[in-house]
């Protein structure tokens, strides 16, 4: 199996269930961009370097996610609208363990 299902709620509150490949080294921010679930220029601004927080999302399922790096932790400490379940989408890589992941895009800041 190389595709997993992910539920993504966009910034308008619309739920999208999408297929995400696990064999293309993609991260969640890139999945959101590839399905055009957020307007161009509002997500992934730093290109996935954990330096902009435009890809912030709230993780609403109880999947075991990889631990935050110091860079991600530091970026979220400065970002707006941060909640306990905030993560940077660009730091979440698509793996089979994440099948059924449910996330919500944080508001644009
Ligand atoms: S794309 Fe900039 S922090 Fe994720």
């Amino acid at each position: 199996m190389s595709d997993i299902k992910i539920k993504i709620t966009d910034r308008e509150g619309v739920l999208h269930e999408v297929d995400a490949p696990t064999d293309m080294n993609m991260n969640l921010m890139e999945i959101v961009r590839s399905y055009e679930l957020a307007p161009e220029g509002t997500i992934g601004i730093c290109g996935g370097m954990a330096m902009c927080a435009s890809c912030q999302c709230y993780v609403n399922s109880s999947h075991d996610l990889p631990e935050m790096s110091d860079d991600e932790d530091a970026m979220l400490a400065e970002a707006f609208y941060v909640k306990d379940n905030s993560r940077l989408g660009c730091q979440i890589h698509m793996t089979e363990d994440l099948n059924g992941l449910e996330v919500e895009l944080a508001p644009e800041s």
Side-chain angles (χ1 to χ4, degrees), residues 23-39:
D23 56 359
M24 291 177 64
N25 199 25
M26 287 178 86
N27 62 52
L28 184 59
M29 174 273 282
E30 292 167 329
I31 299 291
V32 172
R33 288 177 61 125
S34 69
Y35 283 98
E36 299 180 358
L37 302 184

Side-chain angles (χ1 to χ4, degrees), residues 44-107:
I45 294 167
C46 74
M49 306 288 288
M51 286 171 61
C52 73
S54 66
C55 63
Q56 184 191 168
C57 59
Y58 307 125
V59 178
N60 291 331
S61 53
S62 56
H63 287 74
D64 264 335
L65 294 174
E67 284 214 10
M68 274 195 214
S69 64
D70 291 345
D71 287 347
E72 180 177 0
D73 199 31
M75 189 64 243
L76 283 172
E78 290 176 19
F80 296 103
Y81 311 113
V82 174
K83 299 186 192 174
D84 287 348
N85 59 347
S86 286
R87 293 294 302 253
L88 295 179
C90 68
Q91 304 301 301
I92 300 178
H93 286 89
M94 296 297 102
T95 59
E96 289 186 11
D97 298 350
L98 298 187
N99 192 28
L101 185 71
E102 294 177 27
V103 299
E104 183 181 341
L105 302 184

